[in-house]
Amino acid sequence: MFQNYFKTAIRNLWRFKGFSFINIASLSIGLAGCLIIGLFVNDELQFDTFIKGGENVYRIYDKRTDNQGTTSLAVVPPTFAPFLKQQYPEVDSSLRILMASGKMLVEANNIQAYEEKWLLTESSFFNLFPLELISGDPKTALADPLSIVITQGFSNKYFGKQEAIGQTIKIDKIDYRISGVLQKVPEHFHLQFDFLMPLASAGIPKERMEAWQWQQFYTYIKVKPGTDLTKLQSKFQQAIIKDIHPKMKESGSTYLPFFQPLKDIHLQSSDFVYDNAVRGNQTYVKGLSIIALFVLVIACFNFINLATARSVRRAREIGVRKVIGADRRQLIMQFIGETILLSVIALIIAAIATKLIVPGLNSFTGKAITFQPVFNPVLGLILLLGALVIGVLAGIYPAIILSGFQPVKVLKGLQVKGTGNIKDAWFRQALVVIQFSLSALLIICTIIVYRQINYLHQKDLGFNKDQLLYFSVQGDIAKNPAAFKAELKSSPGVIAVTGGYGLPGDQFAGDNIIVPGKEGDKTYPANQIMVDEDYISTLGLKLVAGRDFSKQFKTDIEEAFIINETAVKELGFSTPEKAIGQKLNWEKWEPDSLHPIKQGRVIGVIKDFHLKSLHEKVTTTVLQIYPPVLAKMAVKIKTSDLQNTIAYIKSTWNKFSPEYPLTYNFLDENFDKMYKSEDKLSALLWIFTCMAIVVGCMGLFGLAAFTAQQRIKEIGIRKVLGASVAGIISMLSKTFLKPVLIASVIAFPIAWLLMNKWLENFPYRVQISWWVFAVSALIALLIAFITVSFQSVKAALSNPVKSLRSE
């Protein structure tokens, strides 16, 4: 019996080659899309799941509330860790990692290179994250301030086949002893590094480590099994509200701590600021999963539509089978078996396509995803079960319709239920509406996402980021920056040079600024940018009131501040003009005994500019000259002779700092990197939207072919009676264009709600214009018309004599 079913299925697939091709191709595309996204989603869900005891590990983060709203900070004060460990017995251990970044010069065995994947951490690191060491004791590996733990790959780079443990390596000219070697940092660990250094080596003063408002540490705790986290979090928050909030009232900013499970860090931290974790985006992962499901649903609907549409061709076969004794259950099994066979064939094709696509997916996402269904029995079984389920779900309705034909009516040539009546036609039309609703929804979303991403890249940032090359200051350059700058400026390819600490898209400091007044001092959080007299002109910042820093005013070093427009509002100065001359105080980072507080006035106001990505609002920013801090230098260069200019900068660097190799970046590259996830989302949306459209069009093409063939005699009669080719094309096309238009209208409000919600994540965003919906509807109608018109034209141009000969 099963052999007979199989032969019949193969015969029908071959007999209706066009329909079979459309069904198999559309299902293959849908399945391939689901497989690819499924592999990506599964990979995203693997982060930190391998950590033994990880279910008891939590990261502490802050929600800071000020005049700008509420912001989630991945960094917290250094006091959180010891306070939690001392005050709450539920906390088994704690860990602090300093928020620090930048390149460190590493030297060993005559090899010299800059490395930027490193962490400054406490010795409890391996207690919370028990990564396996090849050599060394994890309990003591970070106990010595001058010890270091490296990865095997790092060891191979600097020591080759030598045993690295116990050897000395220079980090920024300081000797460290290698006390441990890791096999490899797991790919799915949210912290990626090449070496670990003890937090004690940073030399942070004790009073600084006891601060409650200096938020600079990634902090983790490991609680005892069975701990009520909600209760523990509530107790900690109440302690902060009681003891710390009163000290923060004058600053207009408060924070509350929250506990984030280790497994949630990767996907649920996309809106955190100052985060060093390898982050994904839960919203994007869910969105892509839904889109992949859309494509598969459209493909399944194609099958249902085409199967019911072609039922008239199989009516006589079903009638004969029933006459010779086939019951309805057997017919249902046969037809579902056919859909399962078709689904399995589509799955095999989809699996082959996925295997070919995975390398490109890895290149696009930076992952190392593997797809080995043949060598992975579990994966193979899941895929096979998926094909069976899809086959059953896609075939159940057509099977019920086909098996319900009445043999007497069929064999007499009468029209029977399910072969073209109004109810069946409406069902097919409803499926077309759903298919193109999903397609229209994807078109609208793709257009809006593309516009927003383009806006992020093109929006005026308030400064000129083009042709700005920057690098960290090393060696003797810090001792005589003026001479170094003068030497650089002597090149005809160099426009301007500036130095300090704090460049847009790079590192800058968060600190307080004090506004003295009759009712007492008020403290406000601010971005602190340390500059020289050339900073504003080099970056192309715009003054809206007052003046720039100048060497002609010797007091600018000790008494002058420049603030941005947002600071004018937040500090209560009303207008930029009224802000000029207002007093500001600042606690020096390296206080001297005579003047620990810098007391000065506002000499200028600059137009707001973006220090960070457009995901974050512009906040209070203060510029000041502070010579003790010179971390970075930026050079504005001409584009005419770029290669020779960079060569000149390198030679000048080698003249002043020969012991350090020069490494540089361009400022505009930093901002491009900030929108990587959005760029990838946009690209994936385009791909899946095209897939959905192709799959939908394949189904529409099949239906159009069936309809044209079903009405071939009607078309012949109309042509004999004088109907024009254009009239017949219009008649056939309207049948399908109406549901496509209805689908677009249905998609409009859903798309508006979804994209409006998505755009809320951006403080700076595009508006959802009416023309986006008009364009998407036009695209959907145009695609449907082109798809349908091919069959319509073919039918309209056919010879009516051939179609009417049998009559």
Side-chain angles (χ1 to χ4, degrees), residues 227-260:
T227 298
D228 187 337
L229 254 294
T230 303
K231 187 176 179 181
L232 177 61
Q233 178 177 278
S234 178
K235 287 192 295 184
F236 187 39
Q237 288 179 345
Q238 291 305 313
I240 296 297
I241 293 171
K242 179 183 176 182
D243 299 327
I244 307 304
H245 279 195
K247 301 174 184 178
M248 303 178 68
K249 281 185 178 180
E250 61 184 25
S251 68
S253 171
T254 58
Y255 64 73
L256 271 181
F258 291 85
F259 296 168
Q260 182 182 38

Side-chain angles (χ1 to χ4, degrees), residues 644-669:
N644 286 332
T645 301
I646 292 176
Y648 177 79
I649 293 171
K650 287 182 177 179
S651 66
T652 306
W653 170 279
N654 292 333
K655 179 180 176 180
F656 281 80
S657 185
E659 70 276 21
Y660 288 89
L662 174 65
T663 177
Y664 62 87
N665 298 93
F666 282 94
L667 206 60
D668 56 351
E669 295 174 347

Side-chain angles (χ1 to χ4, degrees), residues 547-658:
R547 65 174 178 84
D548 193 357
F549 297 112
S550 174
K551 291 181 180 179
Q552 296 178 358
F553 295 88
K554 302 298 183 184
T555 56
D556 278 1
I557 295 176
E558 287 295 332
E559 299 177 4
F561 295 95
I562 292 178
I563 61 176
N564 66 346
E565 293 173 305
T566 296
V568 171
K569 300 173 186 176
E570 295 301 316
L571 303 182
F573 296 151
S574 183
T575 66
E577 292 73 20
K578 291 181 180 179
I580 305 302
Q582 296 285 349
K583 294 181 179 180
L584 289 180
N585 294 342
W586 175 68
E587 293 184 11
K588 294 180 180 179
W589 289 342
E590 297 180 15
D592 55 74
S593 56
L594 295 177
H595 304 288
I597 304 292
K598 181 175 181 177
Q599 298 179 334
R601 295 178 182 274
V602 177
I603 65 165
V605 176
I606 53 173
K607 187 177 180 62
D608 279 343
F609 68 102
H610 292 271
L611 280 167
K612 294 173 279 189
S613 77
L614 295 179
H615 286 286
E616 301 176 40
K617 290 182 178 180
V618 173
T619 54
T620 297
T621 301
V622 178
L623 277 62
Q624 59 174 303
I625 299 176
Y626 189 58
V629 175
L630 178 60
K632 300 283 177 74
M633 297 193 83
V635 184
K636 184 79 170 178
I637 58 179
K638 295 179 181 178
T639 57
S640 55
D641 193 11
L642 193 62
Q643 189 173 354
N644 286 332
T645 301
I646 292 176
Y648 177 79
I649 293 171
K650 287 182 177 179
S651 66
T652 306
W653 170 279
N654 292 333
K655 179 180 176 180
F656 281 80
S657 185

Side-chain angles (χ1 to χ4, degrees), residues 745-771:
V745 173
I746 292 172
F748 288 171
I750 300 172
W752 186 89
L753 289 171
L754 289 175
M755 297 317 297
N756 202 50
K757 184 69 176 176
W758 180 72
L759 287 172
E760 287 177 0
N761 296 318
F762 301 89
Y764 308 94
R765 52 185 178 264
V766 297
Q767 298 298 316
I768 302 178
S769 305
W770 65 269
W771 64 262

